[in-house]
Structure formats: C-alpha cells, structure tokens
C-alpha cells in the first residue's frame, strides 16, 4: 500500500461506472489512478475523483495503474466551479501540470504551489495577476527561472536581458513593468493583487515563456476566455 496526497488534474469515464484519473501527487508525481465505480452515486470515491479535488489517497499499484483503496478529502476546491473565470484559470493550470510533467517525476514544491493556487484563486480580485505570479514560480521550480537583469524580456534567451542579448521575440519593458514583474515573482500567492495596467501584457509574455520552455503548443482551456 502507498499513501500520498494528490490533486485530480483530469478525469476520463471508462466503461459505465468507472474513471481513469490523472493525479498530481506529492509523493509520487504524476500518476494514473483507476477509480473503480466512481460514477456510481453510492461510491465512496465520487467526490475524491472530481477535477480540482485535493485528497489523501491510499493506493495499490497493479500494472500501469494505481487503484484507490481509501480516499480522504482535504479540499474539493468547490469554489472554483462556482466562478467562471476561476474555473477557466484553474483548468488552464491543471492542464499545464498534465502537459509539463512526466509520470512519477516527483517535485514537492510544484505540488504545494498547485495546492495553494487552487485554494486562493477563487477569492483573488485579480486572477490574471495571481496566475502570472504562479507561472513565474512554477517555471522557476521547473528549472527555467527567468533572469531579472536587463530591460528586454526575451522568450528564447531566459527572461530579462540587455539589448545586445535580445532575440527577435523580445519585449522592451518600462521600469515600472520590470518592478511589477519582480513583485509577481517574489510575492506570496496568498497576498492581494491590485489591478495593474501591465496585467494583460505581462501575462501574455510570461505565458509565451512558459509555452516555449516547456514545449507546450497551446492550452485548450484558454480558448474559453
């Protein structure tokens, strides 16, 4: 038996009453869980097999899948489903985790970051800014922390660089934009993010940086924004 915390990233119906779950776990990394009978109303795994739910699992490994022996809900993150904007950003982030992590590759920092983001997102007044802050922290934990040294944000050359190192896909930032980018990188996700004129601009360039370094073509969930 194996015990781990996990957050459901995706759920796929299989047969009439079961699901295959993609779960990002703290102790095992990205894993596939067979949730037998989870679609039945009487199943003890119905709630703990829903997208965004944060659970404590007792699992048994058999073949390519883990099987749930016991599941205890830590948080359903239900408020994400009640607000459309929160749901879209939350969906984009779990899609990011599914697309940028290999099976069983463990990173406890990125797990804790995801758990915190999903918890604080619904109450945030500036979901675009908190998501940009999340992006910067996540990409740093994945080994691609952007430089904060120059005046140009280069997608290909590692973040803020001097003009001489700027690639074609680079963006000149004003001093206040550079300061705001640093604030987003170092701020705590549980803090408050006020509206800023650079929210849209910085979100787009950091999103490009994420996609370039993690080799992600697109996010299906963003098409709903």
């Amino acid at each position: 038996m194996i015990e781990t915390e996990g957050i459901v990233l995706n759920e796929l119906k299989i047969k009439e009453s079961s699901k295959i779950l993609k779960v990002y776990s703290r102790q095992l990394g990205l894993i596939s869980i067979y949730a037998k009978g989870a679609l039945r109303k009487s199943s003890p795994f119905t709630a703990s097999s829903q997208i965004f739910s944060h659970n404590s699992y007792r699992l048994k490994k058999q073949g390519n899948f883990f099987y749930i022996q016991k599941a205890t809900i830590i948080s359903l993150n239900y408020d994400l489903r009640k607000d459309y904007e929160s749901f879209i950003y939350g969906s984009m982030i779990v899609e990011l985790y599914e697309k940028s992590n290999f099976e069983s590759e463990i990173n406890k920092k990125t797990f804790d970051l995801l758990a915190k983001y999903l918890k604080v997102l619904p109450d945030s007044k500036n979901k675009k800014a908190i998501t940009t802050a999340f992006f910067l922290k996540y990409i740093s934990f994945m080994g691609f922390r952007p430089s904060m040294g120059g005046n140009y944000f280069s997608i290909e050359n590692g973040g803020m660089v001097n003009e001489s190192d700027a690639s074609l896909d680079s963006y000149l930032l004003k001093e206040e934009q550079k300061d705001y980018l640093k604030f987003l990188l170092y701020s705590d996700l549980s803090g408050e993010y006020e509206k800023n004129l650079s929210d849209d601009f910085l979100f787009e360039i950091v999103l490009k940086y994420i996609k370039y370094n993690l080799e992600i073509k697109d996010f299906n969930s963003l098409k709903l924004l």
Side-chain angles (χ1 to χ4, degrees), residues 180-194:
Y180 187 48
L181 193 68
K182 291 178 183 178
F183 163 73
L184 294 175
L185 174 61
Y186 297 116
S187 61
D188 190 303
L189 288 182
S190 59
E192 190 51 69
Y193 294 83
E194 301 295 334

Side-chain angles (χ1 to χ4, degrees), residues 2 13 29 41 58 72 79-80 85 88 102 107 114 136 140-141 156-157 160 176:
I2 304 168
K13 178 181 177 182
K41 292 182 179 179
R58 182 180 297 164
T72 303
D79 287 345
L80 283 168
E85 190 178 14
I88 298 304
F102 295 106
N107 190 328
L114 175 61
L136 290 166
S140 297
F141 291 154
E156 298 178 357
N157 292 340
M160 299 300 300
E176 57 266 27

Side-chain angles (χ1 to χ4, degrees), residues 117-154:
Y117 174 80
L118 294 179
K119 180 180 179 180
V120 301
L121 177 63
D123 293 328
S124 176
K125 296 177 182 177
N126 190 346
K127 294 175 176 41
K128 184 159 283 186
I130 195 175
T131 302
T132 306
F134 170 88
F135 278 155
L136 290 166
K137 299 174 199 311
Y138 180 70
I139 198 67
S140 297
F141 291 154
M142 294 294 281
F144 299 99
R145 181 174 179 170
S147 167
M148 290 289 161
N151 295 316
Y152 288 81
F153 193 100
S154 171

Side-chain angles (χ1 to χ4, degrees), residues 73-91:
I73 297 168
I74 296 174
S75 175
L76 288 175
N77 289 312
Y78 181 72
D79 287 345
L80 283 168
R81 299 175 177 84
K82 297 194 296 183
D83 175 71
Y84 183 75
E85 190 178 14
S86 295
F87 179 80
I88 298 304
Y89 281 115
S91 297

Side-chain angles (χ1 to χ4, degrees), residues 104-119:
S104 303
E105 190 174 81
I106 301 169
N107 190 328
K108 293 181 179 179
K109 287 184 177 181
T110 56
F111 177 86
D112 293 340
L113 181 68
L114 175 61
K116 188 167 190 176
Y117 174 80
L118 294 179
K119 180 180 179 180

